[in-house]
């Protein structure tokens, strides 16, 4: 056998030493391919190990059902605050701010934390989400000037978070809505507000300015995601896309309740939807009323949640039931996404949605506790 191999090597014009060199090279190449194939899953997981561990640790400190029930059972708003002061996540902010502002600060801090923790390939969308504090502060400024608040009253409305907080705080002494927009000239929001200013001047309603900011935010959020190239990005795109669809649906339903037509709604709708593409959004905006909007969603993933509450809407006439149903759908969908990639983006999305819901629930409880004798069982029904 050895003689036959030697003969083959000689017939190929190779020396035995040269043949051995080729064999070694071949083994190295095969070994490198095996290493790459076997290590690829580890390389995909590695960037998520530290972020996942950190958000899991924080997730373990979120309120469970028993703790939420205990907060609901408190007698008044002071007891709610005292309960939260015993929780490290809320104690520091409550030492410095009122309850409502403390909750807003905690939410802003959460988005800022996730933006800093997120791996590089998915960081951009979370960086956009962290700018929500700036947008909320701009809305507060516009509202304050619309109702004639002075500088001190205006500052009380601002959340001390976000990259623009110092600049926005300096605009607290602006006299008019137009002065605020002028003062934002060097920010990324200047163009969108200037474009919406004529509509505001015609109607004297800041809704047009707020809707323009919402559209800008959602558009930037949707465009911050790359074409999904792996499962982590696919999950993130689904999460963001659902938020965009839900925001569009809320606006269309509310507009139809107010009797607005397509021309009045279209400027504020982001037509780069996720499941609801431009043609579908156009059909919904052209629907004559809320009932037809809901029936027009047949075949989409939002249909069941909204048709389930049609009876309640017919009884009460309140579109709030649809908004609550959409919020619940978005929350449940995000939770389902959080289970799909436990060694990837899943824990990050899971923590974010649960923390958001926790803060929303605390706000609901706080509002209820400010009303005398508000039934606890009614509060439980309102929670997400």
């Amino acid at each position: 056998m050895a003689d036959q191999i030697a003969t083959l090597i000689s017939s190929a014009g190779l020396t035995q030493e040269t043949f051995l060199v080729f064999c070694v090279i071949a083994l190295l190449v095969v070994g490198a391919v095996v290493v790459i194939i076997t290590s690829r899953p580890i390389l995909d997981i590695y960037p998520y190990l530290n972020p996942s561990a950190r958000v899991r640790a924080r997730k373990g400190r979120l309120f469970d059902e028993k703790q939420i029930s205990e907060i609901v059972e408190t007698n008044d708003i002071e007891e709610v605050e005292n309960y939260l002061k015993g929780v490290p996540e809320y104690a520091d902010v409550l030492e410095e701010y009122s309850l409502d502002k403390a909750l807003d600060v905690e939410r802003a801090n959460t988005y800022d934390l996730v933006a800093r923790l997120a791996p590089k390939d998915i960081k951009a969308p979370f960086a956009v989400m962290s700018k929500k504090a700036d947008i909320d502060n701009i809305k507060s400024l516009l509202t304050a000037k619309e109702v004639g608040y002075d500088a001190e009253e205006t500052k009380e409305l601002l959340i001390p978070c976000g990259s623009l907080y110092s600049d926005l705080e300096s605009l607290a002494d602006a006299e008019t809505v137009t002065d605020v927009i002028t003062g934002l000239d060097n920010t990324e929001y200047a163009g969108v507000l200037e474009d919406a200013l004529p509509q505001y001047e015609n109607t004297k309603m800041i809704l047009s300015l707020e809707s323009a900011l919402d559209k800008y935010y959602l558009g930037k959020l949707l465009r911050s995601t790359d074409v999904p190239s792996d499962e982590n990005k696919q999950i993130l795109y689904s999460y963001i896309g659902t938020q965009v669809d839900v925001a569009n649906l809320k606006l269309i339903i509310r507009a139809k309740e107010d009797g607005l037509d397509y021309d009045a709604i279209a400027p504020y709708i982001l037509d780069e939807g996720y499941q609801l593409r431009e043609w579908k959004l156009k059909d919904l905006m052209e629907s004559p009323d809320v009932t037809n909007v809901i029936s027009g969603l047949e075949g989409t993933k939002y249909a069941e949640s909204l048709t389930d509450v049609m009876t309640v809407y017919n009884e009460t006439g309140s579109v709030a039931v649809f908004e609550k149903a959409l919020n619940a759908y978005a929350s449940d969908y995000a939770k389902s996404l959080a289970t799909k990639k436990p060694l990837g983006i899943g824990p990050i999305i899971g923590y974010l949605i649960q923390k958001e819901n926790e803060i929303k629930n605390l706000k609901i409880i706080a509002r209820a506790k400010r009303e005398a004798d508000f039934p606890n069982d009614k509060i439980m029904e309102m929670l997400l």
Side-chain angles (χ1 to χ4, degrees), residues 87-221:
V87 179
E89 278 69 23
Y90 295 100
D92 290 343
V93 287
L94 281 168
E95 287 296 326
E96 198 167 350
Y97 309 110
S98 63
L99 177 56
D100 288 331
K101 183 173 285 193
L103 293 175
D104 288 333
V105 170
E106 178 65 14
R107 178 168 52 191
N109 288 342
T110 298
Y111 277 95
D112 183 63
L113 171 71
V114 172
R116 287 186 282 108
L117 288 179
K120 184 178 179 180
D121 62 339
I122 61 165
K123 186 178 289 290
F126 293 108
V128 174
M129 292 181 204
S130 70
K131 293 186 176 185
K132 195 68 167 60
D134 286 332
I135 292 175
D136 288 341
N137 275 338
I138 292 172
K139 288 181 179 181
S140 294
L141 272 174
L142 296 171
T143 300
K145 296 310 149 185
E146 174 64 17
V147 300
Y149 279 7
D150 62 25
E152 289 305 313
E153 291 171 317
T154 300
K155 287 179 182 179
E156 282 300 310
L157 296 178
L158 300 180
I159 308 165
C161 300
S163 59
L164 294 179
Y165 175 67
S166 296
D167 295 331
L168 298 178
E169 188 180 33
S170 69
L171 292 174
D173 59 358
E175 294 187 2
T176 66
V177 167
T178 303
D179 290 339
V180 170
I181 295 174
T182 301
L184 294 169
D185 189 49
N186 293 323
T187 72
E188 62 182 287
Y189 309 103
V192 66
L193 289 171
E194 288 168 1
D195 290 343
L197 187 57
Q199 180 68 16
Y200 163 75
E201 291 174 340
N202 287 336
T203 63
K204 295 303 177 185
M205 295 175 62
I206 62 169
L207 178 61
S208 57
L209 299 172
E210 293 176 335
S211 298
L213 285 169
D214 289 338
K215 181 178 180 180
Y216 173 80
Y217 167 74
L218 291 171
K220 189 166 184 176
L221 184 59

Side-chain angles (χ1 to χ4, degrees), residues 282-336:
K282 186 174 185 294
D283 284 349
L284 295 176
M285 286 185 280
E286 290 177 342
S287 298
D289 52 37
V290 172
T291 301
N292 280 275
V293 170
I294 306 306
S295 62
L297 288 167
E298 184 177 355
T300 72
K301 64 181 186 179
Y302 308 105
E304 183 177 355
S305 296
L306 295 176
T307 53
D308 284 349
V309 296
M310 270 299 299
T311 302
V312 181
Y313 168 71
N314 290 331
E315 292 173 355
T316 65
S318 172
V319 295
V321 297
F322 296 123
E323 294 175 352
K324 183 176 181 179
L326 286 168
N327 288 338
Y329 174 85
S331 177
D332 290 342
Y333 183 67
K335 290 176 183 176
S336 72

Side-chain angles (χ1 to χ4, degrees), residues 261-276:
D261 60 15
Y262 172 86
D263 291 334
I265 307 170
Y268 308 112
I269 292 293
L270 185 68
D271 55 18
E272 307 165 50
Y274 171 53
Q275 186 176 10
L276 305 179

Side-chain angles (χ1 to χ4, degrees), residues 359-377:
I359 292 173
K360 286 179 180 177
N361 283 336
L362 290 174
K363 282 178 170 278
I364 290 170
I365 295 170
R367 283 197 299 270
K369 292 301 175 181
R370 290 190 177 97
E371 296 186 28
D373 301 322
F374 198 97
N376 289 340
D377 57 346

